[in-house]
Amino acid sequence: MLINSFAVAGEEVNLYSARKEALIKPIVDKFSEQTGIKVNLITGKADALLQRIKSEGRNTHADVFITTDAGRLYRAKQAGVLQPTQSDILNQVIPANFRDPEGYWYGLSMRARPIFYVKDRVKPEELSTYEALAEPKFNKRICIRSSNNIYNQSLVASMIAANGVEKTQQWANAFVKNLAIKPKGGDRDQIRAAAAGQCDIAIANTYYYGKMINSKKADQKKAAQAVAIFWPNQQDRGTHVNVSGAGVTRYAQHPENARKLLEFLASKEAQRWYADINYEYPVRTDVEPSALLKSWGSFKADSINLDQLGVNNAEAVKIMDRAGWK
Ligand code: FE
């Protein structure tokens, strides 16, 4: 049977995306080309979109919600705006730790949050784990963004899972004393501050480093070239990783098309493009990272189920507050 776009005329799916249009539009266009299903794309900030789906309630136009960080995906699940999707394809190709155990959301791209060190001032042998960054030898040498950022909350949540609340509190108390400057700006600003001599060590997501290395702005590129990646916790649980991902909304009017869109985004072709466009890792183990990411070396990733980052989020925020992490 010949299937063309005419045969499925009128089919559509509505996508609310916290990822910028440039990071999602080309690949959903491909989906439309292949399936004849039109994608209506609305982009915005993660929290605003989540709020919008919530307040639209049963009348929401959203079928699929895409956002970054498992902590946020968990928040969407807890807010009651998602529904579980059962899909043999998704369960087969997306590793279990990168999806919600009940199918409420699925990771679609992966990023790590390693340590970056200034090559002139730090030897990699001095580094080992996130835990060790609380040692006195790193006094006033570390740059990291503020604690209201979900990436840091998820990192601390992963430490709670590994070490428990009490030990993580002790770690945070000491770690905060090692910050060189009051947290401000985004991840790229931490790498820039390190390169500029304000600190020796920065913590940042891998894709920001990739963007800086390939940046047309000379200062960004130069800053990235001054640092190198250190993959922490290779002798134990592995480096902290996180995902961007998506779930089908609770009141989706096109749940079948929504599932098809998720399955498409998990396909080998889409994984290749979706990872590369933002310097991320594919979640599929049978799709290789880009040459640039490969050049950073392979590493052991923390294999914790990422829903635990959401489960531990509130406790993580409390720990950071008590430690005085601005
Ligand atoms: Fe980011």
Side-chain angles (χ1 to χ4, degrees), residues 132-143:
L133 294 180
E135 289 172 5
K137 70 175 176 184
F138 295 114
N139 186 37
K140 303 262 190 291
R141 295 176 70 193
I142 300 170
C143 282

Side-chain angles (χ1 to χ4, degrees), residues 251-266:
Y251 297 113
Q253 277 152 37
H254 312 93
E256 278 297 294
N257 291 346
R259 180 179 50 77
K260 283 181 195 163
L261 177 58
L262 294 192
E263 289 175 350
F264 175 78
L265 291 171

Side-chain angles (χ1 to χ4, degrees), residues 192-259:
R192 272 218 295 266
Q198 291 189 281
C199 44
D200 297 335
I201 286 161
I203 292 181
N205 284 353
T206 38
Y207 56 89
Y208 289 114
Y209 180 55
K211 283 182 191 176
M212 290 174 80
I213 284 177
N214 276 353
S215 177
K216 289 185 186 81
K217 293 180 187 152
D219 60 322
Q220 295 251 350
K221 202 180 178 92
K222 214 174 146 213
Q225 285 166 342
V227 303
I229 292 189
F230 181 84
W231 302 111
N233 296 76
Q234 293 304 285
Q235 308 308 319
D236 47 67
R237 67 184 179 277
T239 298
H240 172 61
V241 298
N242 210 316
V243 291
S244 81
V248 178
T249 63
R250 180 169 179 193
Y251 297 113
Q253 277 152 37
H254 312 93
E256 278 297 294
N257 291 346
R259 180 179 50 77

Side-chain angles (χ1 to χ4, degrees), residues 66-85:
I66 286 192
T67 189
T68 57
D69 204 289
R72 280 207 192 96
L73 290 158
Y74 178 88
R75 213 176 272 167
K77 178 187 176 185
Q78 291 304 106
V81 305
L82 301 179
Q83 63 169 302
T85 298

Side-chain angles (χ1 to χ4, degrees), residues 11 62 70 100 114 116 120 153 169 179 265:
E11 287 292 332
D100 178 67
F116 294 85
D120 284 351
Q153 294 170 9
Q169 182 70 64
L179 301 190
L265 291 171

